[in-house]
Amino acid sequence: SPLQKYVERLYAEMEQKKLLKFHPNCYLTDEWGCPSGEPVIGIPFYLASTELSRLEEEMNDLESSREVMMFLRHEAGHAFNYAYRLHRTPEWKQLFGPFRRPYRENYRPVPFSKNYVRHMAGWYAQKHPDEDFAETFAVWLTPRSGWRKKYRGWGAMEKLRYMDRIARELGNVDPARKRGTPDITVVSISST
C-alpha cells in the first residue's frame, strides 16, 4: 500500500538510531494513535488506499508526506515508552511528570516555553507527560533535526539527553512488551 514506504522509513530511522530490538507493529484504524500501554501504532485506514486518500482530501485535510512521518515518529514514541515501560520509572516521572495525571483534551499551553520540544503544532508536548515524551522521542528520532544545537540552553535539553541515553541503553535490549493489542481495527469500524 502507499503506507509501506513510510513504515519502512520509520523502521530505518529507528535502526539508524541503533534501536535494533524495537519494532512496533502498525495497524489500520480510524485515526492516528497508540492505545495507552500498548506498543503498537494505529494509522488512519484511508492512508492505505490511493482512492480513499483522494476522498479524504476532498472531504477533509489529507496528511502530507512530512506530516505522516511526524505522526509516525510521535506514535512510535508512545510505543517505545510502553514497550520498555519507561513511564513506570522514577527518572521518567521526574523528567516528564506523573503518567497517571488526568488527560485533558483542552489544555492551556505556555506558548514558547523552552521546557518542551516543538514537534507538532499547538505545543502538543505540554498536553500530558506521555505526549511530552512522545514529542521528545519524535524530535530525537527525526533525521537531521539538529536537536543538540536547536535546543541548546533549553530546559527540554535534559529530556532529549535522557532520550539519547536511554535509547543507547535499550537499543539492543528486548522490550518488556514486544507485542501490543490494537484498539479499533478496520474490521470493527462500522461507520462509512
Side-chain angles (χ1 to χ4, degrees), residues 83-156:
Y84 290 98
R85 297 182 172 141
L86 298 174
H87 59 286
R88 296 180 179 181
T89 66
E91 185 178 17
W92 192 96
K93 291 174 187 176
Q94 188 254 330
L95 281 171
F96 297 98
F99 182 79
R100 295 285 175 219
R101 189 180 92 193
Y103 199 95
R104 295 185 179 95
E105 287 305 317
N106 297 318
Y107 63 105
R108 296 183 59 140
V110 178
F112 309 109
S113 171
K114 292 188 174 189
N115 291 323
Y116 303 90
V117 297
R118 297 183 191 152
H119 179 68
M120 292 169 66
W123 299 285
Y124 200 66
Q126 296 181 39
K127 188 171 188 169
H128 186 272
D130 195 24
E131 302 301 348
D132 189 7
F133 178 83
E135 289 288 87
T136 301
F137 180 94
V139 166
W140 170 83
L141 183 64
T142 302
R144 298 171 301 286
S145 70
W147 62 265
R148 285 181 176 89
K149 184 177 180 183
K150 182 177 180 178
Y151 292 98
R152 184 178 294 137
W154 288 38

Side-chain angles (χ1 to χ4, degrees), residues 21 24 27 39 54 63 78 85 118 163 168 174:
K21 301 281 186 162
Y27 68 100
R54 199 171 319 131
E63 295 89 333
H78 287 301
R85 297 182 172 141
R118 297 183 191 152
M163 185 60 246
R168 277 186 270 113
D174 285 323

